[in-house]
Amino acid sequence: MVTRRVLDLEYAIRDVAVVANEVKKTGKTVYHLNIGDPVIYDFKTPEYISQALADATFKGQNYYVDSLGVAELREEISKFENKKNNINTTTDDIIVTQGVTEGLIFTIAGLIEKGKELLIPGPSYPVYINYSKFFDGVPIEYELDEQDNWEPNIDDLRKKITDKTQAILLASPNNPTGLVYSEKNVKEIINIAGEYNLPLISDEIYDQIIYEKEHSSPASFSKDVPVIGMNGFSKAHLATGWRIGYMYFHDPENKLIELKGGIENLARSRLCANSIAQFAAIEALKSPGTHTAEMVNKLRERRDYSYKRLRNIEGISINKPDGAFYMFPKIDLEGFGKWKNDKEFVINLLEEKGVCTVFGSGFGSHGKGHFRITFLPDLETLETVYNLLEDFLK
Ligand code: PLP
């Protein structure tokens, strides 16, 4: 009565929330460090953007809009991406989606079929793995090298290309490691993609949440290799629940015309993305405000504090993230000799101390022996959490 396709889907980030609910029922306080949603912490959607959403509602813009997105929004997105990346997209190169998540589903649906492979970073954001499998394909992870601050291992990436590879996916800033790929590595990946005639998929949802480095979007360096960039309003504009994102096609030699046509068919089949949120998103792009910079400043302090605390806990090793709001510490499971694997560690920590993180193996095989923690909560909460963690490991 049900397909393997849906039964096999795993999403560790939400799976631990189920255990957290059981723990809550026992009366214990649970500290949520498992979900990358700034809006559930002390970051709020800017008022002028919320006002634009309300205005759109009361102006009656509650109808089905163009399946590819409201024209004015597509135009603003195109201008925004052109300026940021020094590229030449037009409105026709933009498709508005229900979050980057839907952009990923569309792209993977358009590229992957039985036995075809998608090259993704490992550790990997689970959605890349899930949808590759959902469409009967095979996610293949290229290594992000923990010893090299999680930079992609270019030799490994090259070795993993086969005649079934359909595309290479980059996710920078990266979830779960916080890595911002170096410009050198982005350029190397573009060269490899060019050599094998593969498109790049670039998940850029965290591109405005960066602490030191510059973000290098592959589109800004690529003269001929096609790049499908994805971004949205969830993180930079603090509107996670609005479900608005977009894809932009940087395709100077028109290699993706067929794929884009197919993705447009898919977009039409699901009618349209949330209309009122699209009208509000126009406002967010027209007057970008100061909220993103303010959020980054707050987060930098929380990252520095988290790094200082975690690196001083015996049995934990950690890299300092360049962007996004996650850390991906390694836990010396052998040294402690108490937990069989990262999942057991995470569940035990949650049950005993109420600290809810995500087990590393939920981010693919390269995530084993790690856990992901978000440093979105305020400093006071973070202090409590690291004290609890220290206690737990003693
Ligand atoms: N891509 C990455 C790497 C993410 O971490 C997330 C959410 O956490 C998403 C995409 C989802 O973005 P959206 O809310 O635009 O669907």
Side-chain angles (χ1 to χ4, degrees), residues 95-368:
I95 300 177
V96 178
T97 54
Q98 301 180 86
V100 165
T101 307
E102 193 184 46
L104 287 165
I105 299 172
F106 283 0
T107 307
I108 299 174
L111 280 169
I112 298 295
E113 55 195 346
K114 198 167 175 52
K116 298 287 184 185
E117 296 171 358
L118 180 67
L119 257 184
I120 59 174
S124 163
Y125 179 54
V127 167
Y128 314 143
I129 298 177
N130 271 347
Y131 283 105
S132 302
K133 290 184 180 167
F134 185 84
F135 292 111
D136 298 324
V138 189
I140 304 283
E141 294 172 58
Y142 60 88
E143 183 198 20
L144 299 182
D145 182 0
E146 189 165 14
Q147 306 310 319
D148 186 20
N149 194 33
W150 295 112
E151 283 285 349
N153 176 341
I154 299 294
D155 291 337
D156 187 56
L157 187 154
R158 186 182 276 282
K159 272 193 227 136
K160 300 257 164 87
I161 294 177
T162 70
D163 56 1
K164 299 196 184 81
T165 310
Q166 296 292 93
I168 305 173
L169 188 147
L170 294 84
S172 175
N174 184 262
N175 178 3
T177 66
L179 156 82
V180 173
Y181 290 41
S182 70
E183 186 177 317
K184 176 171 164 284
N185 281 332
V186 171
K187 286 180 175 166
E188 292 219 35
I189 296 173
I190 293 171
N191 288 340
I192 294 174
E195 209 177 302
Y196 290 91
N197 204 17
L198 296 169
L200 294 177
I201 302 169
S202 179
D203 181 343
E204 301 173 359
I205 189 73
Y206 298 106
D207 73 336
Q208 293 180 64
I209 304 174
I210 293 197
Y211 307 107
E212 281 93 23
K213 276 192 192 170
E214 290 259 310
H215 176 247
S216 307
S217 166
S220 63
F221 301 119
S222 167
K223 290 200 178 56
D224 50 352
V225 171
V227 179
I228 305 171
M230 292 188 204
N231 210 332
F233 298 83
S234 289
K235 317 280 175 168
H237 295 291
L238 299 161
T240 40
W242 291 12
R243 313 307 304 126
I244 287 292
Y246 58 87
M247 318 168 60
Y248 65 91
F249 288 78
H250 167 65
D251 184 19
E253 296 186 350
N254 295 322
K255 292 177 179 164
L256 298 184
I257 287 184
E258 253 193 316
L259 173 66
K260 186 159 159 272
I263 290 176
E264 287 172 356
N265 288 342
L266 193 49
R268 289 185 191 102
S269 311
R270 63 64 159 123
L271 304 192
C272 65
N274 180 334
S275 71
I276 46 176
Q278 291 194 53
F279 289 106
I282 296 171
E283 263 322 290
L285 287 181
K286 279 191 164 165
S287 7
T290 53
H291 50 276
T292 314
E294 282 158 17
M295 169 169 61
V296 171
N297 283 338
K298 264 200 210 173
L299 286 175
R300 183 181 291 106
E301 202 183 0
R302 294 173 193 189
R303 175 203 60 164
D304 290 346
Y305 177 72
S306 300
Y307 179 64
K308 191 174 84 191
R309 289 296 306 269
L310 284 168
R311 71 196 283 255
N312 285 323
I313 299 179
E314 208 162 315
I316 281 185
S317 53
I318 182 149
N319 285 318
K320 195 173 187 176
D322 309 309
F325 29 64
Y326 310 104
M327 294 207 178
F328 202 54
K330 184 173 184 173
I331 171 104
D332 179 9
L333 290 171
E334 223 171 88
F336 285 109
K338 185 163 182 229
W339 306 281
K340 260 201 329 272
N341 52 40
D342 48 272
K343 187 168 182 179
E344 230 180 68
F345 164 78
V346 160
I347 291 183
N348 193 207
L349 171 65
L350 174 57
E351 287 173 343
E352 281 204 12
K353 298 287 178 189
V355 174
C356 185
T357 61
V358 190
F359 45 95
S361 49
F363 298 87
S365 58
H366 287 82
K368 281 186 187 147

